[in-house]
Amino acid sequence: MRLARTLATLALIVAVAACQSTQPPRASADASPARGPAAVDAARMMAAGREPQNWPTHGGTYYEQHYSTLDQINDGNVGGLELAWHYDFDTNRGQEAMPLVVDGVMYTTSAWSKLFALDAATGREIWKYDPEVIGAKAVHACCDVVNRGAAVWNGKVFFGTIDGRLIAVDARTGKPVWSTVTVDQKQAYTITGAPRVVKGKVIIGNSGAEYGVRGYVSAYDAETGKLVWRFYTVPGNPADGPDGAASDEVLARLANKTWNGQWWKYGGGGTVWDAIVYDPDLDQLYLGVGNGSPWNHQIRSAGKGDNLFLSSIVAVNPDTGKYIWHYQETPAESWDFTATQPIILADLAIGGRPRKVLMQAPKNGFFYVIDRATGRLVSAEKYANVNWAEKIDLKTGRPVEYPRARYASDTTFMNPAGIGAHAWHPMAFSPKTGLVYIPAMEVPLNYSNDTSFKFRPGRWNTGINFGGPVTGKVVDPIGRPSSGTINIGGHLLAWDPVTQKEAWRVPMGQPWNGGALATAGNLVFQGNTTGQFVAYRANTGEKLWSFDAQAPIIAGASSYSVNGQQYVAVLVGYGGSMGVATPFPGPAIEQPNGRVVAFRIGGGKALPPYTPQLKGPAAPPAETFAPKLVAEGGGLYAANCRVCHGGVILPDLRRSGVLADKAAWQEVVIGGALEPRGMVSFRDNLTPQQAEAIRAFVAGEARKLQAEQKAGKAG
Ligand code: CA
């Protein structure tokens, strides 16, 4: 149908990669010269593994193994891997996208939901498209204005925006073809995940479960942008009746009875913000469902019921959205234990026979192997330090929880906690080594029941006092006294999914390291928070090569080839939930703008020289404040400011020029003077007097920082 345009634009197309001798024959469509950019159809997608020169969907193929069968770059020659090109973005917010590559053209998104088409061999910009998102929506993004990438189909590129649109762009011209608002933009919905395209339908979820929304997944016609089906992951208000959606039947049959209280007032949660995986063998779509809203099950559901389909993997029919099966990893979710983490499909030999399984390492710290045909649990073991449950009972598929895990009375030291033992960062599976490579983390937190919880629409709602100063006793989930000491870290973990045992690990100082890519060259690539992009030997974890990218890397890499040359490409740029909420140790540095870096053997290029810019000095006002006001401000700061201003990306309020100016502070916090940059007015949640109390608290913190800076103890 697009043949005429396809032929006419052929001259613009970057050369198709030559086939490598080590690769199986390419699909016949691949040899045809008569096709335009992003000419991906069902046949090509189903056989994507036979076109290793391309990376046409999130994770490489529908199996989302984040594995390349290319082996031109391998453990024998990776020492000669050099920068081939870089392409710089215009923002220093978090870069989480995985670049797609089709026939020599790279499609990637950046923070603030911008889309780019680049020559995959040179980095030359072919076009870019900025949907000019509503800046004020940033306040509804729990975890930074990130975007995890695009999808391609039939000459179009699809991506979601932080303000909830799904946009189709012409892959040749970079001009929008259609745009659909997928959410109620008055509510706190955002989109950060990459869409997937299955049989001509674009599948997209959303985020916002920290802010009081109800999760769902939608399928849109790729040609027209018309809604085909929608699946709600949690029930709505029973008084409103059915939604007229694909989920109506199963919510009525299975889910409604697992909810109690007045959850709909808080949205219920269950957003599907990352993993949406199509199974080409069984023609099923797997949805990874998020946490409850609010987190605290006591508040959300009066402490009763499993709350389906929170923290579950749900299999649906991709044509209709109708339910097939589900497996709930964390019944009665109460900790932000999402099941949204990356899902990998594989055939594993288990007990001597081949099984079609899916694998997931969700936040709750257990590695799950699930039979894709039935949804039955095959095995689940702890891949991290886990203190909330003893084990998963293989007969019932349910966790055996420790008695104090639900933090009903004392403060409970939870490990893992809301950041998870693994978040959205891609994990990779190498069929060659049989290992899964997980960017694993240890980020515990102290949880206590928020007895004065009051729902605030569009604001952070967890029902938990966490991370703040601990009052009273701290216990672990077994009930033993705990120091409540929070030590954080991360490592690259190689995990055998058949034996459910660790093969090796590489420790990192910090959590929030990059996604993993495995290749047939016996390599695993991963960036990290020190700004190094590293290649490890896949079977042993031996470090073989690294590149100084000048800024932390959190995204996952992809691999492709052009003109017979294999490339590995990754986005550089720190951010995401840890980026906005948690400081780095050491000097405070302004994070530089993000970029794409691509490597090949003998690439011969270098990044421009870089000198880290130190953040400005503490800027406390001269005036002093009453201790009572400071104390009040401390609580308000924790509840309203810290999740965005506690990290390294957004302004450190202790160093803000606005801090010493009472009127300017009011103009920003209450007046909304910086709304276009995402700092909305808090007038619905704070009185001017409360805003002043926060200034009083931050002023005290700024004075402490100033003293440390004078003593040479802080940057
Ligand atoms: Ca969450």
Side-chain angles (χ1 to χ4, degrees), residues 142 209-210 273 291 295 336 338 363:
C142 68
E210 272 61 53
W273 54 261
N291 56 280
W295 295 1
D336 191 22
T338 59
K363 283 186 180 182

Side-chain angles (χ1 to χ4, degrees), residues 583-639:
F584 274 140
I589 292 166
E590 296 287 0
Q591 293 298 310
N593 283 355
R595 53 168 50 127
V596 191
V597 288
F599 304 89
R600 66 176 173 84
I601 298 291
K605 296 287 198 305
L607 290 177
Y610 165 71
T611 309
Q613 286 296 116
L614 287 176
K615 290 196 178 199
E623 61 204 294
T624 53
F625 300 90
K628 195 164 165 244
L629 194 67
V630 173
E632 181 195 353
L636 292 166
Y637 177 87

Side-chain angles (χ1 to χ4, degrees), residues 292-519:
S293 174
W295 295 1
N296 189 333
H297 181 251
Q298 285 291 335
I299 295 168
R300 185 178 69 244
S301 190
K304 289 183 292 215
D306 284 350
N307 291 182
L308 291 174
F309 294 99
L310 293 183
S311 192
S312 302
I313 295 172
V314 182
V316 302
N317 179 316
D319 300 313
T320 63
K322 288 280 163 53
Y323 169 93
I324 300 171
W325 58 252
H326 79 277
Y327 174 75
Q328 189 173 41
E329 292 173 348
T330 312
E333 194 288 302
S334 202
W335 305 272
D336 191 22
F337 283 168
T338 59
T340 51
Q341 278 57 52
I343 293 171
I344 287 178
L345 312 186
D347 294 348
L348 295 183
I350 291 171
R353 69 185 179 96
R355 298 279 291 272
K356 291 201 176 304
V357 302
L358 65 79
M359 302 183 278
Q360 190 183 44
K363 283 186 180 182
N364 76 16
F366 286 91
F367 189 94
Y368 293 85
V369 179
I370 294 167
D371 186 313
R372 278 142 62 190
T374 62
R376 299 289 290 271
L377 182 65
V378 174
S379 63
E381 295 293 337
K382 294 174 179 177
Y383 69 91
N385 287 325
V386 172
N387 75 4
W388 67 280
E390 180 196 338
K391 62 178 180 180
I392 308 297
D393 183 326
L394 291 185
K395 281 209 187 70
T396 62
R398 296 177 70 91
V400 179
E401 277 180 32
Y402 286 117
R404 305 292 283 277
R406 290 180 179 269
Y407 55 90
S409 48
D410 299 308
T411 294
T412 306
F413 178 75
M414 299 301 311
N415 190 19
I419 292 291
H422 171 217
W424 56 269
H425 310 73
M427 64 179 193
F429 171 65
S430 166
K432 246 182 165 172
T433 62
L435 299 176
V436 178
Y437 304 96
I438 309 167
M441 301 185 286
E442 178 140 324
V443 189
L445 278 178
N446 294 307
Y447 282 46
S448 64
N449 191 10
D450 181 359
T451 50
S452 56
F453 174 77
K454 193 165 157 282
F455 181 68
R456 302 182 307 159
R459 293 285 185 263
W460 188 259
N461 290 285
T462 62
I464 295 164
N465 294 316
F466 66 101
V470 170
T471 50
K473 216 160 57 162
V474 186
V475 297
D476 72 8
I478 296 173
R480 301 173 298 201
S482 165
S483 72
T485 306
I486 311 258
N487 292 315
I488 65 174
H491 53 279
L492 177 61
L493 176 67
W495 188 259
D496 184 329
V498 175
T499 62
Q500 288 274 19
K501 287 198 164 59
E502 176 174 333
W504 53 257
R505 73 169 62 193
V506 177
M508 318 263 166
Q510 290 292 308
W512 216 246
N513 298 293
L517 164 72
T519 76

Side-chain angles (χ1 to χ4, degrees), residues 196-239:
R196 294 354 183 239
V197 188
V198 178
K199 297 191 280 184
K201 292 174 199 66
V202 191
I203 322 286
I204 189 77
N206 44 54
S207 320
E210 272 61 53
Y211 297 80
V213 303
R214 179 186 181 201
Y216 57 87
V217 172
S218 313
Y220 293 90
D221 185 295
E223 298 305 320
T224 64
K226 293 265 180 316
L227 182 69
V228 180
W229 57 257
R230 180 163 286 174
F231 186 96
Y232 287 92
T233 58
V234 300
N237 184 348

Side-chain angles (χ1 to χ4, degrees), residues 64-129:
E64 302 208 9
Q65 293 180 348
H66 300 265
Y67 175 74
S68 171
T69 57
L70 298 175
D71 61 3
Q72 190 183 70
I73 303 166
N74 56 56
D75 57 352
N77 67 6
V78 70
L81 193 61
E82 294 171 354
L83 187 70
W85 55 263
H86 66 96
Y87 177 86
D88 294 358
F89 296 130
D90 61 358
T91 167
N92 74 343
R93 301 293 288 265
Q95 305 296 348
E96 296 187 356
M98 158 170 298
L100 306 184
V101 175
V102 182
D103 302 334
V105 180
M106 175 179 289
Y107 304 96
T108 187
T109 58
S110 74
W112 290 111
S113 328
K114 297 177 188 181
L115 179 65
F116 302 82
L118 309 174
D119 182 322
T122 66
R124 178 182 63 87
E125 180 184 298
I126 300 171
W127 50 256
K128 62 182 170 186
Y129 176 65

